[in-house]
Amino acid sequence: MDLREDDELELITDEPDGQLYEHFRMEVDKGQESIRIDKYLAEHQPHSSRNRIQKAADAGFIHVNGSPVKSNYKVRAGDVITLMLDRPHYDTTIEPEDIPLEVTYEDDDLMVINKPAGMVVHPGCGNFHGTLVNAIAWHLKDLATYDPNDPEVGLVHRIDKDTSGLLVIAKTPDAKTSLGKQFFNKTTHRSYNALVWGNFVEDEGRIEGNIGRDPKDRLRMEVFPPDSEIGKPAVTHYKVMERFGYVTLVECILETGRTHQIRAHMKHIGHPLFCDERYGGTEILRGERTASYKAYIQNCFKLCPRQVLHAKTLGFVHPTTGEQMDFTSEWPEDMAALIDKWRNYVKVRS
């Protein structure tokens, strides 16, 4: 059983066939005292958080002796506990795959990679091959101390499939512990560039609002009031880089790193990312009603057919040397071409 905090437990098949599939089984030892099942599983499965176990139980996925139970069920000696999901079990073993990587920096402790848009970071529901993790496993296949299936090494943080930019990967457990603490303590430095719909009155601003699953769409995140106790606290700072009238290029700096944080926060303040289908960015939200303008926007969507978001910079303290490490990546070709197209549009109109 592996229900870590970043697992997409909610992203179960949208159209289940009604059948449940066993993913995990264990029998409670003789002499086990009667305790809550969420506590029991959290103690016996170190890679599964108690919060995720509770969610799985609430969703009816945790069974005891063949029947679903809630998280307050008290386990007894001899109980057979199973995790039953509405999708078949897949072998999640990470195999090396010969996929090109753009390595920005590498040493004995870590790697910094510039991920292209369209590449899934980690195997998950519907994406079990061709991921960044598979590519890293191939790149490090001759490093005897690196096991891609060991959670104590590898990815330190993630970015969305259709977001491009910088990621750091730990080669050793000590490096992952050090880098993980820096992300947790918010001492890392990350900035993103994004093209968003609309013009801003101000040159810079701050967005604060908890981020949690949208109750109407499990694939999308929603912003809730900071004092609502729904979702997780999130803060995004933004600064206008360039104005194009109907769209704006902004720099975003994260205080927190929540799922879809920039995408959800920008939609929340009325500026969805350009061409972000999940958050309404593929609608023509600003501009003219002419046929020529609509055609222009459609050409823009074809030029960069994904949310226009790039992890531009990444900074952290090296886990071994203590040196400050700062990296910058160039926009990918699709984003650079789109920005140039908007610059030319403004130039012609003026």
Side-chain angles (χ1 to χ4, degrees):
M1 183 183 226
D2 192 356
L3 296 175
R4 278 171 269 187
E5 201 63 40
D6 53 8
D7 288 341
E8 297 290 355
L9 178 65
E10 293 88 350
L11 306 188
I12 307 301
T13 309
D14 284 337
E15 296 180 359
D17 57 13
Q19 183 176 352
L20 293 178
Y21 303 86
E22 183 178 312
H23 283 236
F24 165 85
R25 171 183 289 262
M26 71 178 298
E27 184 174 344
V28 178
D29 295 335
K30 294 180 180 179
Q32 171 64 49
E33 62 176 307
S34 181
I35 63 172
R36 287 172 57 110
I37 193 169
D38 54 348
K39 183 179 180 181
Y40 177 82
L41 289 175
E43 291 176 350
H44 286 75
Q45 304 296 324
H47 300 309
S48 302
S49 74
R50 190 168 178 178
N51 179 58
R52 301 298 281 180
I53 292 168
Q54 290 171 346
K55 287 185 176 180
D58 291 343
F61 296 145
I62 294 181
H63 291 210
V64 174
N65 304 325
S67 300
V69 298
K70 296 301 182 183
S71 54
N72 62 355
Y73 172 83
K74 298 291 186 67
V75 301
R76 295 184 293 269
D79 277 349
V80 176
I81 302 172
T82 54
L83 175 67
M84 307 294 294
L85 299 180
D86 55 357
R87 63 180 186 272
H89 178 71
Y90 291 95
D91 183 2
T92 57
T93 302
I94 296 168
E95 299 292 344
E97 296 180 27
D98 188 3
I99 302 169
L101 280 179
E102 183 180 339
V103 180
T104 301
Y105 174 84
E106 182 174 8
D107 62 25
D108 292 341
D109 298 292
L110 57 88
M111 297 169 58
V112 175
I113 292 173
N114 190 20
K115 185 189 84 69
M119 176 181 276
V120 175
V121 170
H122 193 281
C125 188
N127 296 285
F128 297 97
H129 301 284
T131 73
L132 179 66
V133 168
N134 297 113
I136 294 168
W138 178 273
H139 183 82
L140 300 177
K141 66 182 186 301
D142 297 326
L143 184 62
T145 57
Y146 185 85
D147 179 0
N149 294 287
D150 183 356
E152 293 188 350
V153 295
L155 290 173
V156 181
H157 60 123
R158 305 184 184 191
I159 57 178
D160 296 335
K161 172 186 175 182
D162 289 325
T163 298
S164 55
L166 297 172
L167 285 164
V168 61
I169 289 84
K171 290 185 176 182
T172 69
D174 287 345
K176 187 163 186 181
T177 297
S178 173
L179 292 166
K181 286 181 179 178
Q182 293 181 54
F183 276 88
F184 180 80
N185 293 326
K186 305 178 180 66
T187 59
T188 58
H189 305 286
R190 288 180 290 167
S191 72
Y192 292 72
N193 289 172
L195 187 71
V196 304
W197 278 105
N199 199 2
F200 289 82
V201 174
E202 64 285 348
D203 290 329
E204 57 186 54
R206 179 179 186 273
I207 311 169
E208 181 176 7
N210 291 6
I211 291 181
R213 291 281 171 196
D214 185 336
K216 298 179 181 178
D217 184 348
R218 294 178 298 176
L219 300 179
R220 187 170 60 191
M221 307 305 287
E222 184 63 82
V223 179
F224 302 92
D227 58 355
S228 65
E229 298 185 355
I230 303 175
K232 296 181 179 179
V235 176
T236 303
H237 300 269
Y238 66 88
K239 184 177 181 179
V240 171
M241 297 173 64
E242 199 167 348
R243 299 175 186 271
F244 303 113
Y246 303 134
V247 297
T248 305
L249 181 66
V250 295
E251 177 188 52
C252 295
I253 297 177
L254 304 180
E255 274 192 27
T256 53
R258 308 305 182 198
T259 302
H260 296 185
Q261 178 170 323
I262 293 173
R263 300 166 67 187
H265 267 174
M266 282 296 167
K267 176 178 174 57
H268 180 65
I269 65 170
H271 296 282
L273 268 63
F274 192 81
C275 206
D276 188 349
E277 182 176 8
R278 192 163 302 285
Y279 290 89
T282 52
E283 301 293 327
I284 301 178
L285 301 177
R286 302 287 194 281
E288 305 164 10
R289 296 184 177 181
T290 63
S292 60
Y293 179 75
K294 292 179 180 178
Y296 167 78
I297 295 297
Q298 293 303 320
N299 287 333
C300 286
F301 289 159
K302 292 177 182 178
L303 188 61
C304 187
R306 48 110 177 176
Q307 70 257 12
V308 188
L309 182 62
H310 178 69
K312 178 73 172 176
T313 68
L314 175 63
F316 52 84
V317 173
H318 194 281
T320 300
T321 68
E323 177 187 358
Q324 176 64 39
M325 310 289 288
D326 293 294
F327 302 94
T328 300
S329 59
E330 298 301 319
W331 295 334
E333 290 184 5
D334 59 353
M335 183 171 175
L338 178 63
I339 300 301
D340 282 341
K341 190 174 181 68
W342 274 103
R343 285 172 179 157
N344 290 333
Y345 179 82
V346 172
K347 184 177 180 181
V348 169
R349 289 181 72 236
S350 62

